[in-house]
Amino acid sequence: MPVTQQHDATTHAVTFLPAQKSVRVPYGATVWQAARQVGLLFDTPCNGAGTCAKCRVHIRAGRTEPQPSAHRLTADELARGWRMACVTTVTEPLEVEIPDPAHHLHTILMDGDPVEIRCDRHPRGTLGVAFDLGTTTVAGALFDLSTGTALAVGADMNRQIQAGDDVISRIAAIRQDPGALRRLQALAVETLNGILRALCEKSATLARDIRRVTVAGNTTMQQILLGLDPSPLGEKPFTPAFTDAQALPAAPLGLDTHPGAELVAFPQIGGFVGGDTVAGLLATHVDTLDKPTLFVDIGTNGEIALLHGRRLFAASTAAGPAFEGARIRQGMRAATGAIDQIWLQAGTLRYHVIGNMKPRGLCGSALIDAAALLLQFGLLSHAGTLEVPALPPKALNSQLIQRLAQTERGASFGLAMDRDGNPLVSLTQQDVRELQLASGAIRAGIDTLLKKAGIAAADLDTIRLAGGFGNYIRCEHAMRIGLLPRLPHDRIEFIGNASLTGAKRALLSRAELQRAQSIRSQAVHVELASEPGFSDCFMDAMMFGER
């Protein structure tokens, strides 16, 4: 007699396309939760709050009702079956299409400066791996420690992203649920192990030969990996669990390495200025410089360090996720379909789309381009208002003016248009406000450190921009909107993934780890919000324009 599989009547099957993955979830669970159960990670900066509209899915079969946050989609989109996964509940079997590549990042920066140092001695065949443990993405590099040879590099999304797109979300999750720390730690280890396996496969090596691991990440990421509660970082005085480098066995954490492998987490300066900043400063040889140098890692938690004389000031500034595409109506990370560059050519607005396809949205570098160009045209005021100026500059032609529209949601400017002249991707007035907050936070942090050091921006010998986002912005546009101070272009350097470079150096040489420790000891943590005049500085910095 054939056996028929029975299912609980309160659960329903959800099948995801094109991945061809299915799962049964309880009645009332969200499509977002179902996707997480089968390992499909959406690019959801709002952590499922229904505000970013980045988890758009197409319901191919089954019925769903539009939820309160569905106003993020148009009536036509809702009618055609588009929904936001985070607020769409499962009440019957569903077939759900996730538009490729909604859950994949296009670019994770894995390169930095070449590492040329005197390596420690190790037995032949001994392997080591260096990690840049980012909030969103993780990059790793595998080395033969006996020769100092780089064998493979790889990267992946941090699987913790399902618990929130920023460190504050993850700290909040841990404070609300005692079991969240263990779960987030397991997700971090799972991410590292996935990269480890890929690196070993690329290089035809064995994970059991990995005897040393170095990790550089912000304070929250490093502490979660080590199983240390980051909750104190969620309130003043933002105290980290440790400041010195931490060395411990890797195996008890669950890493797929040699049973006797050692894991080293970078020293931390204070607050949200963590091991990634120290690693970046190590990579830039900050302890050998004798001229004023500014180090900036532009991101959700922007890290800034300023060297002047023998003083090294370091701070973090809550720029928010606008540079990552969050809170921008059609914003997205640097994924296929994202506009990543905008320029003016012969009076016509041009743009580049990652993957050379129809544009789906714009990423942070294009957001800066758009604001800088609109500021140049006069369609964006220094106060951040989208409007046609009373005295239009010569660069402003009728074609550009026609792209500025007033809608029920306020003013918007069409960045990419279809053949009928309808906007495919637009910049809205609210998008501009989010950029002002992000840009203003970074610039206010820079200006506050300059003031504390007693120097002007013109006194800087070099600005060194680190990280994936900083590596792709056009410095002329960043200076035009005021994100960076005006300096000659040859005094601005793009240094790539400096955090990973620093982690590599510490992997290959314990002397480099000691240098990192010395850099941390030299650094003075500046709590920006407590600095006199910071609030006024922030308000000034939100105004667009060169300074």
Side-chain angles (χ1 to χ4, degrees):
M1 181 177 178
V3 178
T4 302
Q5 187 175 4
Q6 298 295 319
H7 294 293
D8 188 331
T10 61
T11 68
H12 294 292
V14 181
T15 300
F16 292 96
L17 303 174
Q20 293 293 343
K21 292 185 176 182
S22 297
V23 64
R24 295 192 70 86
V25 296
Y27 179 97
T30 65
V31 171
W32 186 58
Q33 292 168 334
R36 287 167 54 182
Q37 289 191 34
V38 292
L40 297 176
L41 302 181
F42 286 100
D43 184 6
T44 48
C46 72
N47 190 28
T51 58
C52 74
K54 304 298 190 294
C55 60
R56 290 159 45 102
V57 295
H58 186 225
I59 306 300
R60 295 279 298 272
R63 292 177 300 174
T64 60
E65 294 298 325
Q67 298 299 314
S69 293
H71 68 275
R72 301 287 294 179
L73 303 176
T74 66
D76 179 62
E77 288 173 325
L78 291 171
R80 289 188 287 115
W82 287 96
R83 297 289 187 270
M84 289 165 55
C86 66
V87 295
T88 300
T89 55
V90 178
T91 58
E92 62 179 73
L94 297 177
E95 188 175 278
V96 181
E97 180 182 7
I98 300 178
D100 189 47
H103 55 285
H104 293 287
L105 292 183
H106 175 77
T107 300
I108 299 175
L109 191 64
M110 296 182 286
D111 296 323
D113 291 336
V115 177
E116 298 179 0
I117 58 175
R118 184 184 297 274
C119 301
D120 296 335
R121 292 184 177 181
H122 292 276
R124 183 176 180 181
T126 302
L127 304 180
V129 62
F131 283 110
D132 166 34
L133 179 58
T135 308
T136 303
T137 57
V138 183
L142 181 69
F143 281 81
D144 182 333
L145 296 183
S146 63
T147 64
T149 304
L151 301 178
V153 293
D156 200 358
M157 290 181 67
N158 188 334
R159 300 193 73 80
Q160 290 180 356
I161 200 170
Q162 62 187 254
D165 207 37
D166 54 57
V167 295
I168 300 301
S169 298
R170 297 179 202 175
I171 291 172
I174 290 169
R175 299 182 79 170
Q176 294 166 8
D177 178 3
L181 175 58
R182 183 180 295 273
R183 290 195 296 274
L184 288 174
Q185 181 188 32
L187 289 170
V189 171
E190 182 182 330
T191 304
L192 298 186
N193 279 338
I195 296 173
L196 282 175
R197 287 190 293 270
L199 294 176
C200 290
E201 184 176 342
K202 283 182 183 179
S203 58
T205 56
L206 299 175
R208 65 169 179 260
D209 292 327
I210 297 174
R211 291 178 175 266
R212 184 169 166 80
V213 179
T214 54
V215 176
N218 63 52
T219 47
T220 306
M221 292 300 97
Q222 290 198 152
Q223 290 183 200
I224 291 176
L225 175 64
L226 301 186
L228 302 175
D229 187 358
S231 295
L233 294 170
E235 59 187 12
K236 287 187 177 181
F238 312 110
T239 305
F242 63 89
T243 52
D244 292 334
Q246 302 292 296
L248 65 160
L253 293 178
L255 287 177
D256 294 335
T257 60
H258 185 278
E262 177 187 57
L263 179 141
V264 176
F266 261 71
Q268 306 182 144
I269 293 174
F272 290 100
V273 188
D276 51 353
T277 302
V278 176
L281 293 172
L282 174 66
T284 62
H285 308 282
V286 71
D287 52 341
T288 67
L289 303 177
D290 57 6
K291 295 180 179 179
T293 303
L294 183 69
F295 173 90
V296 185
D297 190 339
I298 301 174
T300 301
N301 183 50
E303 288 95 9
I304 306 166
L306 174 64
L307 175 74
H308 178 48
R310 297 312 304 162
R311 295 189 298 171
L312 178 62
F313 299 103
S316 63
T317 179
F323 294 128
E324 298 283 350
R327 301 177 189 168
I328 306 302
R329 177 163 175 76
Q330 290 183 269
M332 57 190 295
R333 293 196 183 96
T336 303
I339 297 174
D340 65 342
Q341 188 174 359
I342 303 174
W343 67 96
L344 189 67
Q345 182 178 341
T348 301
L349 206 63
R350 304 290 187 186
Y351 57 85
H352 175 263
V353 181
I354 297 174
N356 296 314
M357 59 179 289
K358 180 179 177 180
R360 297 173 50 230
L362 74 162
C363 64
S365 57
L367 179 65
I368 292 174
D369 287 346
L373 290 171
L374 290 175
L375 199 63
Q376 176 185 340
F377 302 154
L379 292 175
L380 179 63
S381 72
H382 291 282
T385 303
L386 285 170
E387 59 186 3
V388 177
L391 297 173
K394 291 182 179 180
L396 183 58
N397 56 46
S398 59
Q399 181 189 51
L400 294 173
I401 292 176
Q402 289 172 3
R403 290 176 177 240
L404 186 64
Q406 290 289 339
T407 70
E408 67 274 9
R409 293 172 176 166
S412 67
F413 182 85
L415 299 172
M417 317 295 282
D418 65 16
R419 292 181 179 179
D420 296 325
N422 300 312
L424 295 170
V425 177
S426 296
L427 180 77
T428 71
Q429 182 65 70
Q430 184 57 39
D431 296 340
V432 174
R433 298 303 182 212
E434 294 293 342
L435 176 60
Q436 285 181 282
L437 291 170
S439 176
I442 295 289
R443 184 56 188 271
I446 292 172
D447 289 348
T448 300
L449 291 193
L450 288 170
K451 180 180 178 182
K452 197 165 186 69
I455 62 174
D459 297 323
L460 291 171
D461 178 69
T462 312
I463 295 178
R464 298 186 174 183
L465 297 179
F469 179 74
N471 215 51
Y472 294 106
I473 65 173
R474 263 65 63 189
C475 57
E476 175 61 33
H477 289 170
M479 290 187 288
R480 186 180 297 163
I481 69 170
L483 171 63
L484 297 176
R486 169 61 68 178
L487 283 179
H489 289 195
D490 61 1
R491 287 160 65 182
I492 297 179
E493 298 179 10
F494 298 94
I495 58 176
N497 191 335
S499 175
L500 183 59
T501 300
K504 293 176 184 177
R505 299 186 71 87
L507 174 72
L508 296 172
S509 170
R510 293 184 184 273
E512 291 294 293
L513 184 61
Q514 288 300 315
R515 282 184 61 207
Q517 189 70 38
S518 297
I519 290 170
R520 190 222 53 89
S521 299
Q522 178 189 358
V524 175
H525 179 229
V526 178
E527 180 54 55
L528 293 175
S530 301
E531 287 296 304
F534 176 74
S535 295
D536 291 339
C537 183
F538 177 51
M539 294 299 293
D540 292 341
M542 283 197 295
M543 298 287 288
F544 287 129
E546 297 181 14
R547 289 184 294 280

